[in-house]
Every structure is written in C-alpha cells, then in structure tokens.
Amino acid sequence: MQVNVGDAIPDWDMPRVAPERMRTMAAILRDPNPVHWDRKTVAKLGYGDRTINQGPLGLSYMVNMLHEWAGPYCIRRLVMRFPQVVLDEDHVIAQGVVTALREEDGQRLADCDIWLYFEGEGDRKGRLLEGTASIRLPAA
Amino acid sequence: MAMPDAAEIEALVGYEFPGGEYTVAHWENFLLTECTGAELLPGGMVHPVVMFHMPIIGANTSIGEMFALGQAESDFSIGIESYDWEFFAPILEEVTYAISARVTEADRRGDENRVFDRIQFQFDVAKADGELVARSTITWTYGRSGNAS
C-alpha cells in the first residue's frame, strides 16, 4: 500500500443519520439520556425536534472510513473531540488526510487528521467531529 | 448547587473503580456494527466503537456514576474534552476480557468567565493472562455555576 503525506483518505458517506439506530445504540450503551431518543427533550435544549446522535456513532463513521482504506485491523490509536452535535436526518461524510508517516516497533504507521463533515445549516457547518488517528499500514 | 472544593476534586486521582469482566456476544456486535452502517468485521472482530461502553460497563461503573463521582451539576453540565482509544490487539466476540479502571487526572480550571473541573478516566481491557488489548482514556469537563463551598 503506497501512502504519502498529504494523501486524502477516501470519503465514507453516511447519507442519513437514522433515529432508529440511535434508539438501538442507546440500549446497547445502556445510556438513558433522552436526548438520543426523545425529540421533546431535545426541543427544550434548542436543537429543534431532532434527536442527537451518540458521540461514538459519529466516531464510528470515521472508523468505517479507516477500515475501508487500510483494513479491519488498521487502527492503532484514535483521539477524538466533539465540537458540534450530529442530529437525526443529517447527511455526514467522514474524511481525512495523512499528516505524517513513521515506524513504531517495526510497524509502518500513518498519522492522520480525521473529521466528520456536514454541509451545514446555521452554526452547524463544516467539521462536527474531529480528531487524529494512527493507522497501521499494510506492507508496501 | 454548591461547588465542591477543588481539593475534593483533586483527591479523586487514584480512585479505582471495582473492575470486572466483559464479553461481547455475537448479537451485541451484530447490532452495534449495524448501527454504524458497516458490515460485520472478519474473524469475529468486534467493531472498535465498542470501546465506548465495554470498558465502562466491564469496570462495573456507569456514565451516571462517573458524573456523580465528579459531582456534576446536571447531565448537561458535562463537556467532552476527548476520547483517546488505543488498540494493541483485536477485540473478539465471545472472548471474556478483564477490565480495570481508575481516575488518572482531576483538577480545577477556568477563569472569571468559566470554572470547570477536568477529570480523566483510564480504562484497560486485557486478556485473561493480563496482556493489554486496548485502553480508553476519557477526559470530561464538569461545568460549575455555583459558589465555592
């Protein structure tokens, strides 16, 4: 696998953030916070009548992008921040770029900036989630 | 709500959660992976997003208990600084892992406009023989609006 600094990671598209998946995820996470399944609660917080996607679900779209790029065992480290919320029905795209190449314990690693992009409405525009990833690269 | 003393927050460093075990069943991995919009990973690998809840539940704690430990004013007073996940080996379905967890950092920060406590939790996922498989480091901020007690 030939990788260079500055390479863009192929996009991973989530055309519709589904509220029914948030409800399943709330049960799996044992997370009782109603912002993930009760639109009335979210409306009181000023986000309108759309539920808020769990942080790890937004992160998972970037994990899926990395897996499709470098394989299912590629992730060595992820550091994520959550500056903006993702809402149900959003169309978001996981994106990333290679920022450095290095070796660790004989393994080739690519350090990457990764983010979840949203075309936007109002203040929620651009990168909703962002972070860094260290990726194990297959042999060249 | 009265603001806890800064010394009380700092004293959380070193706090150990009970710890325990966690096994990701196939059905759980199936549903979890479906929620992400991906296909199941090969070889019984669990989707890495399991690192959000597996360590917390496996350590015999909960998000609610972690909020309470830092004396959160409400669920909405919590801010996420970062999630840091490290993977040393794949996490596999139907394998029982040992989970241990502790508070590694806790201090008060801010200025005249905003005061918050920053608390960092570290969760280790290990094989039965003790080999570290993955580590989750969660850093949260606990917003404070009350007066110092």
Side-chain angles (χ1 to χ4, degrees), chain B residues 22-30 43-47 50 54 90-97:
Chain B
Y22 197 95
T23 307
V24 182
H26 172 69
W27 70 263
E28 182 176 356
N29 187 39
F30 186 98
M45 278 183 64
V46 176
H47 195 287
V50 79
M54 174 195 189
I91 298 170
L92 302 174
E93 291 179 0
E94 308 295 352
V95 172
T96 298
Y97 294 96

Side-chain angles (χ1 to χ4, degrees), chain A residues 33-53:
Chain A
N33 193 331
V35 300
H36 304 306
W37 42 266
D38 182 357
R39 289 183 162 146
K40 291 177 182 173
T41 297
V42 185
K44 291 176 187 170
L45 297 175
Y47 288 110
D49 60 352
R50 295 156 68 189
T51 50
I52 298 175
N53 205 28

Side-chain angles (χ1 to χ4, degrees), chain B residues 67-124:
Chain B
F67 285 4
L69 189 67
Q71 300 184 48
E73 293 180 2
S74 74
D75 290 0
F76 307 113
S77 68
I78 302 293
I80 300 171
E81 181 179 296
S82 65
Y83 289 167
D84 181 347
W85 296 346
E86 295 177 86
F87 298 92
F88 308 104
I91 298 170
L92 302 174
E93 291 179 0
E94 308 295 352
V95 172
T96 298
Y97 294 96
I99 316 286
S100 60
R102 62 209 60 84
V103 175
T104 49
E105 295 181 16
D107 60 355
R108 179 151 297 162
R109 300 186 181 194
D111 52 30
E112 65 272 15
N113 297 317
R114 178 179 178 238
V115 176
F116 63 92
D117 292 322
R118 179 181 178 276
I119 303 179
Q120 186 173 88
F121 307 88
Q122 185 182 82
F123 297 82
D124 286 344

